[in-house]
Amino acid sequence: MLNNAESQDSGDLWIDWLLKGRHSEKNMRYMRHSQAQVESYADRVLQQAKLQQNYTMVDVGAGEGLVSFKAIDQIGPTLRVILTDISQPLLRHAEKLANERGIASQCTFLQCSAHQLQAIASESVDVVITRAALAYVEDKQTSFQEFFRILKPGGRISLGEPVFRDDAIMASVMRTLMESQVAAAGSPDPFTRLTHIWRSSQFPDTQQKIAENALTNYTERDFVQWAMACGFKDIHMELHIDIKPSFIDWDTFLEISPHPYAQSLQAIMNEKFTAEERLLFEQVMKPIIESDSSTSNYRVAYLSAQK
Ligand SMILES: C[S@@+](CC[C@H](N)C(=O)[O-])C[C@H]1O[C@@H](n2cnc3c(N)ncnc32)[C@H](O)[C@@H]1O
């Protein structure tokens, strides 16, 4: 499922999730909402980057180039952008988009992991940004050291990263609840058991698994510690937690997955539930998901700092 996320084949997995798995194309309202949400994160990261004319910016884990292309829109033809990613298919996709936009001459595409930026010379760039990429990197501390190394003195980092730890804690709560039901009654309540199967298929559900998993073994405070340890100054961290009314419908809820290493609920139900269990789970869960009190939870850690 999730362990050692970075070491898995991350080519097609990433392009599939980024272009399809994270939001459903069947529900256009939800898709627009989800895209607007992502755009707002990218805008916030760029705001803190404080880009200027003639700057060179590195976009770590650039994906389809969302943040890089926004940066070029903002600054214009004097901005140079180095888009890095571990996924070659995504880099090729971003290059195609850059060509279509007529900005390819401003972009360099580099396949590498965030913690291995050797192809970029020391003290050669003005800004390093990363948006929802560091979360997936095994060695975050070395990545920070690399960001520091490639930045010119006075250069800035700006990142906006999801914090998945709370989702894992929820999975571990479901495990504890199930175990307490087994201790009290000999077997768990069927709905609790199914909810635990769902949650633990997407996130680690024990303290040990949480600690071993790159997606969940950090908090926003670790970002601050790593930035301090490298020698960054003027470090600013903001944790944004937004609990918003959700208007997702059941079919969309079944289809999307919270990160590329997680199966969708539909896949989990098909693979791990019996036909009877699928029926029970849908009978209880669908009205909850489609009710007015249903919420979507967003947790994003924004860090900016200067070398
Ligand atoms: C959620 S996407 C975000 C893409 C882009 N930053 C954006 O804002 O749309 C995560 C990206 O991180 C990349 N990625 C995953 N692990 C990585 C690693 N170890 N080093 C560099 N990039 C990585 C993925 O290929 C993917 O493009």
Side-chain angles (χ1 to χ4, degrees):
M1 181 239 319
L2 296 161
N3 279 339
N4 202 8
E6 196 186 335
S7 68
Q8 299 186 25
D9 172 15
S10 37
D12 293 331
L13 176 84
W14 272 106
I15 200 160
D16 283 354
W17 184 75
L18 212 55
L19 305 189
K20 294 181 221 142
R22 64 174 164 171
H23 42 228
S24 165
E25 285 180 6
K26 284 189 204 147
N27 181 338
M28 289 313 285
R29 184 173 171 228
Y30 181 76
M31 187 170 153
R32 276 195 297 273
H33 165 81
S34 162
Q35 278 170 342
Q37 196 75 32
V38 168
E39 298 247 350
S40 73
Y41 303 146
D43 288 340
R44 166 95 204 165
V45 168
L46 281 180
Q47 200 185 12
Q48 294 301 311
K50 304 192 177 159
L51 292 169
Q52 293 182 24
Q53 297 287 328
N54 298 305
Y55 265 17
T56 298
M57 179 187 103
V58 177
D59 182 352
V60 176
E64 52 185 326
L66 170 77
V67 188
S68 290
F69 299 161
K70 267 182 180 283
I72 290 174
D73 284 348
Q74 278 178 18
I75 301 299
T78 69
L79 185 73
R80 208 177 140 252
V81 177
I82 304 172
L83 295 90
T84 78
D85 207 285
I86 43 159
S87 165
Q88 190 62 38
L90 266 175
L91 284 173
R92 277 201 297 269
H93 178 70
E95 189 169 6
K96 182 171 154 279
L97 295 179
N99 274 309
E100 284 166 11
R101 287 168 165 251
I103 54 168
S105 63
Q106 288 172 257
C107 302
T108 305
F109 300 89
L110 191 61
Q111 187 189 12
C112 59
S113 179
H115 70 294
Q116 293 172 322
L117 302 178
Q118 295 94 325
I120 305 175
S122 300
E123 303 199 348
S124 64
V125 307
D126 302 283
V127 167
V128 174
I129 68 99
T130 169
R131 209 264 342 145
L134 207 50
Y136 303 97
V137 177
E138 202 82 40
D139 193 346
K140 296 180 177 60
Q141 184 155 17
T142 305
S143 304
F144 267 89
Q145 287 162 358
E146 280 291 84
F147 302 165
F148 191 82
R149 180 186 65 77
I150 65 174
L151 277 170
K152 296 174 187 168
R156 288 182 66 77
I157 51 167
S158 174
L159 59 88
E161 291 294 324
V163 180
F164 290 117
R165 199 182 175 84
D166 300 51
D167 299 287
I169 289 169
M170 187 49 74
S172 75
V173 166
M174 291 313 300
R175 167 179 283 278
T176 308
L177 179 61
M178 198 181 62
E179 285 171 351
S180 68
Q181 290 171 351
V182 173
S187 63
D189 161 68
F191 181 69
T192 305
R193 191 177 71 79
L194 296 175
T195 306
H196 172 254
I197 293 174
W198 162 41
R199 292 281 190 177
S200 62
S201 300
Q202 295 186 330
F203 292 97
D205 67 337
T206 66
Q207 287 307 315
Q208 190 181 339
K209 288 187 204 163
I210 291 172
E212 287 168 358
N213 194 302
L215 276 183
T216 54
N217 66 3
Y218 68 94
T219 73
E220 67 286 351
R221 283 156 200 258
D222 293 307
F223 287 137
V224 175
Q225 287 303 320
W226 292 321
M228 281 171 71
C230 297
F232 279 107
K233 55 190 183 189
D234 291 335
I235 300 166
H236 180 67
M237 160 59 62
E238 284 183 27
L239 174 63
H240 290 198
I241 300 183
D242 292 291
I243 315 291
K244 296 184 177 177
S246 167
F247 48 80
I248 199 165
D249 60 279
W250 178 246
D251 288 342
T252 308
F253 191 74
L254 284 174
E255 203 187 334
I256 58 172
S257 55
H259 58 81
Y261 302 105
Q263 289 179 299
S264 66
L265 175 56
Q266 182 71 74
I268 295 164
M269 286 171 71
N270 291 346
E271 205 176 283
K272 297 178 178 167
F273 293 6
T274 64
E276 236 174 53
E277 288 171 342
R278 283 197 285 276
L279 199 63
L280 165 73
F281 194 72
E282 178 166 341
Q283 272 169 356
V284 182
M285 192 53 100
K286 185 176 172 189
I288 298 173
I289 294 303
E290 294 188 340
S291 76
D292 288 345
S293 57
S294 173
T295 58
S296 296
N297 305 344
Y298 308 90
R299 300 176 194 88
V300 183
Y302 294 96
L303 181 134
S304 57
Q306 194 168 357
K307 178 168 174 180

